[in-house]
Short mmCIF file of all heavy atoms in Angstrom, two decimals:
data_model
loop_
_atom_site.label_atom_id
_atom_site.label_comp_id
_atom_site.label_asym_id
_atom_site.label_seq_id
_atom_site.Cartn_x
_atom_site.Cartn_y
_atom_site.Cartn_z
N PHE J 147 86.67 92.34 112.93
CA PHE J 147 87.15 92.82 111.66
C PHE J 147 87.37 91.69 110.71
O PHE J 147 87.05 91.77 109.49
CB PHE J 147 88.52 93.55 111.85
CG PHE J 147 89.21 93.83 110.56
CD1 PHE J 147 88.69 94.78 109.61
CD2 PHE J 147 90.41 93.19 110.27
CE1 PHE J 147 89.32 95.00 108.46
CE2 PHE J 147 91.08 93.45 109.06
CZ PHE J 147 90.55 94.31 108.12
N LEU J 148 87.84 90.56 111.15
CA LEU J 148 88.09 89.44 110.25
C LEU J 148 86.73 88.87 109.69
O LEU J 148 86.66 88.42 108.62
CB LEU J 148 88.95 88.35 110.98
CG LEU J 148 90.40 88.69 111.22
CD1 LEU J 148 91.03 87.55 112.01
CD2 LEU J 148 91.18 89.02 110.02
N CYS J 149 85.66 88.99 110.54
CA CYS J 149 84.41 88.62 110.07
C CYS J 149 83.89 89.59 108.98
O CYS J 149 82.99 89.07 108.21
CB CYS J 149 83.39 88.56 111.25
SG CYS J 149 83.72 87.30 112.50
N SER J 150 84.36 90.79 108.98
CA SER J 150 83.92 91.73 108.01
C SER J 150 84.66 91.67 106.69
O SER J 150 84.28 92.33 105.68
CB SER J 150 84.06 93.17 108.53
OG SER J 150 85.37 93.58 108.50
N ILE J 151 85.77 90.89 106.57
CA ILE J 151 86.66 91.06 105.40
C ILE J 151 86.00 90.67 104.13
O ILE J 151 86.36 91.17 103.08
CB ILE J 151 87.97 90.20 105.69
CG1 ILE J 151 89.11 90.72 104.80
CG2 ILE J 151 87.74 88.75 105.41
CD1 ILE J 151 89.56 92.15 105.17
N ARG J 152 84.95 89.74 104.21
CA ARG J 152 84.35 89.34 102.99
C ARG J 152 83.58 90.55 102.39
O ARG J 152 83.48 90.68 101.16
CB ARG J 152 83.31 88.23 103.22
CG ARG J 152 82.21 88.53 104.24
CD ARG J 152 81.20 87.44 104.22
NE ARG J 152 80.49 87.35 103.01
CZ ARG J 152 79.31 86.59 102.85
NH1 ARG J 152 78.98 85.75 103.89
NH2 ARG J 152 78.74 86.58 101.72
N TYR J 153 83.06 91.46 103.20
CA TYR J 153 82.31 92.58 102.77
C TYR J 153 83.35 93.65 102.21
O TYR J 153 82.98 94.48 101.34
CB TYR J 153 81.56 93.25 103.88
CG TYR J 153 80.53 92.19 104.40
CD1 TYR J 153 80.59 91.88 105.74
CD2 TYR J 153 79.58 91.60 103.61
CE1 TYR J 153 79.66 90.90 106.30
CE2 TYR J 153 78.68 90.72 104.12
CZ TYR J 153 78.76 90.31 105.45
OH TYR J 153 77.93 89.41 105.98
N PHE J 154 84.61 93.61 102.60
CA PHE J 154 85.66 94.48 102.10
C PHE J 154 85.86 94.10 100.59
O PHE J 154 85.89 94.93 99.73
CB PHE J 154 86.96 94.26 102.85
CG PHE J 154 88.01 95.10 102.39
CD1 PHE J 154 88.28 96.41 102.82
CD2 PHE J 154 88.94 94.57 101.42
CE1 PHE J 154 89.34 97.17 102.33
CE2 PHE J 154 90.04 95.35 100.96
CZ PHE J 154 90.14 96.66 101.40
N TYR J 155 86.12 92.73 100.26
CA TYR J 155 86.46 92.43 98.92
C TYR J 155 85.19 92.28 98.09
O TYR J 155 85.31 92.34 96.86
CB TYR J 155 87.37 91.25 98.84
CG TYR J 155 86.84 89.91 99.39
CD1 TYR J 155 85.86 89.18 98.62
CD2 TYR J 155 87.33 89.39 100.64
CE1 TYR J 155 85.36 88.00 99.13
CE2 TYR J 155 86.85 88.14 101.04
CZ TYR J 155 85.90 87.44 100.36
OH TYR J 155 85.43 86.31 100.84
N GLU J 156 84.05 92.21 98.71
CA GLU J 156 82.71 92.12 97.92
C GLU J 156 82.28 93.52 97.67
O GLU J 156 81.31 93.76 97.00
CB GLU J 156 81.67 91.31 98.64
CG GLU J 156 81.97 89.82 98.62
CD GLU J 156 80.97 89.02 99.37
OE1 GLU J 156 80.01 89.59 99.92
OE2 GLU J 156 81.06 87.82 99.42
N ARG J 157 82.93 94.56 98.24
CA ARG J 157 82.59 95.95 98.19
C ARG J 157 81.15 96.30 98.61
O ARG J 157 80.40 96.96 98.01
CB ARG J 157 82.76 96.48 96.69
CG ARG J 157 84.00 96.07 95.97
CD ARG J 157 85.30 96.44 96.91
NE ARG J 157 85.52 97.81 97.11
CZ ARG J 157 86.15 98.30 98.05
NH1 ARG J 157 86.83 97.57 99.00
NH2 ARG J 157 86.40 99.66 98.20
N LYS J 158 80.85 95.83 99.80
CA LYS J 158 79.61 96.15 100.48
C LYS J 158 79.87 97.00 101.71
O LYS J 158 80.12 96.49 102.73
CB LYS J 158 78.90 94.80 100.82
CG LYS J 158 78.50 93.96 99.72
CD LYS J 158 77.81 92.60 100.14
CE LYS J 158 77.47 91.76 98.88
NZ LYS J 158 76.88 90.49 99.27
N PHE J 159 79.93 98.22 101.44
CA PHE J 159 80.37 99.29 102.41
C PHE J 159 79.55 99.23 103.64
O PHE J 159 80.04 99.34 104.74
CB PHE J 159 80.45 100.61 101.74
CG PHE J 159 80.95 101.70 102.82
CD1 PHE J 159 82.18 101.65 103.30
CD2 PHE J 159 80.01 102.65 103.20
CE1 PHE J 159 82.59 102.58 104.21
CE2 PHE J 159 80.42 103.56 104.18
CZ PHE J 159 81.73 103.64 104.64
N ILE J 160 78.23 99.28 103.57
CA ILE J 160 77.29 99.39 104.66
C ILE J 160 77.62 98.23 105.69
O ILE J 160 77.75 98.46 106.88
CB ILE J 160 75.85 99.47 104.27
CG1 ILE J 160 75.58 100.66 103.39
CG2 ILE J 160 75.02 99.58 105.48
CD1 ILE J 160 76.01 101.96 104.03
N LYS J 161 77.68 97.04 105.18
CA LYS J 161 77.93 95.88 106.09
C LYS J 161 79.33 95.97 106.64
O LYS J 161 79.53 95.63 107.84
CB LYS J 161 77.77 94.59 105.27
CG LYS J 161 76.27 94.30 104.82
CD LYS J 161 76.08 92.99 104.15
CE LYS J 161 74.73 92.72 103.85
NZ LYS J 161 74.47 91.44 103.13
N TYR J 162 80.30 96.34 105.87
CA TYR J 162 81.73 96.52 106.36
C TYR J 162 81.65 97.57 107.48
O TYR J 162 82.32 97.34 108.51
CB TYR J 162 82.59 96.89 105.24
CG TYR J 162 84.00 97.14 105.68
CD1 TYR J 162 84.94 96.17 105.97
CD2 TYR J 162 84.50 98.52 105.85
CE1 TYR J 162 86.26 96.41 106.34
CE2 TYR J 162 85.76 98.77 106.28
CZ TYR J 162 86.66 97.69 106.51
OH TYR J 162 87.92 97.96 106.94
N LEU J 163 81.01 98.69 107.16
CA LEU J 163 80.99 99.85 108.17
C LEU J 163 80.33 99.34 109.49
O LEU J 163 80.81 99.63 110.60
CB LEU J 163 80.23 100.95 107.63
CG LEU J 163 79.97 102.13 108.55
CD1 LEU J 163 81.34 102.81 108.97
CD2 LEU J 163 79.13 103.21 107.88
N LEU J 164 79.24 98.58 109.37
CA LEU J 164 78.52 98.08 110.64
C LEU J 164 79.49 97.17 111.48
O LEU J 164 79.58 97.36 112.63
CB LEU J 164 77.33 97.21 110.17
CG LEU J 164 76.51 96.61 111.31
CD1 LEU J 164 76.01 97.65 112.26
CD2 LEU J 164 75.43 95.68 110.72
N PHE J 165 80.26 96.31 110.85
CA PHE J 165 81.23 95.44 111.56
C PHE J 165 82.31 96.29 112.19
O PHE J 165 82.70 96.04 113.35
CB PHE J 165 81.89 94.41 110.69
CG PHE J 165 80.95 93.14 110.50
CD1 PHE J 165 79.99 92.96 109.64
CD2 PHE J 165 81.14 92.08 111.44
CE1 PHE J 165 79.29 91.87 109.48
CE2 PHE J 165 80.45 90.96 111.41
CZ PHE J 165 79.54 90.82 110.38
N CYS J 166 82.79 97.29 111.49
CA CYS J 166 83.82 98.22 112.04
C CYS J 166 83.26 98.95 113.27
O CYS J 166 84.05 99.16 114.23
CB CYS J 166 84.34 99.18 110.98
SG CYS J 166 85.36 98.43 109.69
N LEU J 167 82.00 99.37 113.20
CA LEU J 167 81.51 100.11 114.39
C LEU J 167 81.32 99.20 115.56
O LEU J 167 81.46 99.62 116.68
CB LEU J 167 80.16 100.70 113.89
CG LEU J 167 80.26 101.82 112.87
CD1 LEU J 167 78.84 102.33 112.48
CD2 LEU J 167 81.05 103.07 113.45
#
Side-chain angles (χ1 to χ4, degrees):
F147 168 68
L148 294 178
C149 291
S150 78
I151 202 66
R152 61 173 292 190
Y153 304 119
F154 178 91
Y155 62 75
E156 290 176 0
R157 312 312 293 160
K158 296 180 179 179
F159 177 67
I160 299 301
K161 291 182 178 179
Y162 176 79
L163 176 63
L164 178 62
F165 273 90
C166 288
L167 294 176

